[in-house]
Amino acid sequence: SLVSAKDSIIIKVTDVKNRSVNSTKTSDYYHKGERNFGLWILMGEYETYSLYYAITVDHNVFNGFCILNGTEPITSSRKEFQQFSSQLLNNDSKYQKSDYWLGWYYVEPKLNFKEFSDENIYNLIEENYLNETVTRIVDTTVDDIRNFKEIVANLK
């Protein structure tokens, strides 16, 4: 379990037994099918829409805020969501906007699990570096969620 030092949020990690990672599975993940793997946190539901904070594993690990209608992503350019995206981007310059994200950015350090060619990936083998990296991501996540909740509250 991970506990953020900045809040009382607890994230429980469950080990999956009898699972292995190999080059074929990794290649299949990046070259076949849809890649929507990661931690998705439901922040709220509004009519038929759900607002999520997500940490997503793609070619690089990134995180941000998005809106879904059921399981379908909603474009951030829809009028009713533009104010959320604009406020998020104005409030924190690390965020980028895309069609299906109100705002997103790469986690720090930038982690590229597709190529495994980066010193940051190799450093994750060291337990202290791994713990420091995960703690930094968790603390940033807690801050991001808290700040976005304030943005949403101020827009209502």
Side-chain angles (χ1 to χ4, degrees):
S1 295
L2 301 172
V3 180
S4 169
K6 296 183 179 197
D7 217 336
S8 59
I9 293 177
I10 297 173
I11 299 173
K12 293 188 177 186
V13 178
T14 304
D15 289 331
V16 179
K17 298 190 187 299
N18 299 321
R19 301 283 179 161
S20 63
V21 175
N22 61 43
S23 61
T24 302
K25 287 181 182 179
T26 302
S27 177
D28 287 351
Y29 175 79
Y30 285 107
H31 300 289
K32 294 181 182 177
E34 200 172 316
R35 295 182 306 270
N36 278 326
F37 177 75
L39 174 67
W40 288 68
I41 301 167
L42 177 64
M43 292 189 56
E45 295 178 320
Y46 309 93
E47 299 174 10
T48 62
Y49 304 109
S50 301
L51 173 63
Y52 284 91
Y53 179 86
I55 300 174
T56 302
V57 178
D58 199 340
H59 298 297
N60 294 286
V61 178
F62 66 94
N63 54 354
F65 297 92
C66 64
I67 296 181
L68 302 180
N69 185 358
T71 59
E72 295 298 315
I74 302 299
T75 63
S76 61
S77 61
R78 287 183 62 163
K79 185 179 178 182
E80 63 266 38
F81 304 125
Q82 285 180 352
Q83 61 182 343
F84 294 121
S85 185
S86 295
Q87 287 296 318
L88 178 64
L89 274 59
N90 288 338
N91 191 51
D92 195 332
S93 63
K94 71 183 172 204
Y95 282 98
Q96 302 176 48
K97 185 178 178 186
S98 70
D99 288 343
Y100 292 101
W101 291 86
L102 297 174
W104 68 274
Y105 66 93
Y106 294 115
V107 298
E108 287 295 329
K110 191 172 179 181
L111 300 171
N112 184 328
F113 287 104
K114 181 181 179 188
E115 296 179 12
F116 280 87
S117 61
D118 185 290
E119 186 176 313
N120 291 319
I121 296 295
Y122 292 120
N123 287 340
L124 292 174
I125 293 170
E126 183 196 321
E127 190 171 347
N128 285 338
Y129 183 82
L130 175 63
N131 288 336
E132 289 171 8
T133 300
V134 171
T135 298
R136 186 170 43 257
I137 292 170
V138 169
D139 287 346
T140 301
T141 297
V142 170
D143 286 344
D144 288 349
I145 291 171
R146 183 183 301 119
N147 292 336
F148 194 69
K149 282 183 175 181
E150 288 178 23
I151 288 171
V152 170
N154 289 333
L155 290 174
K156 288 186 176 181

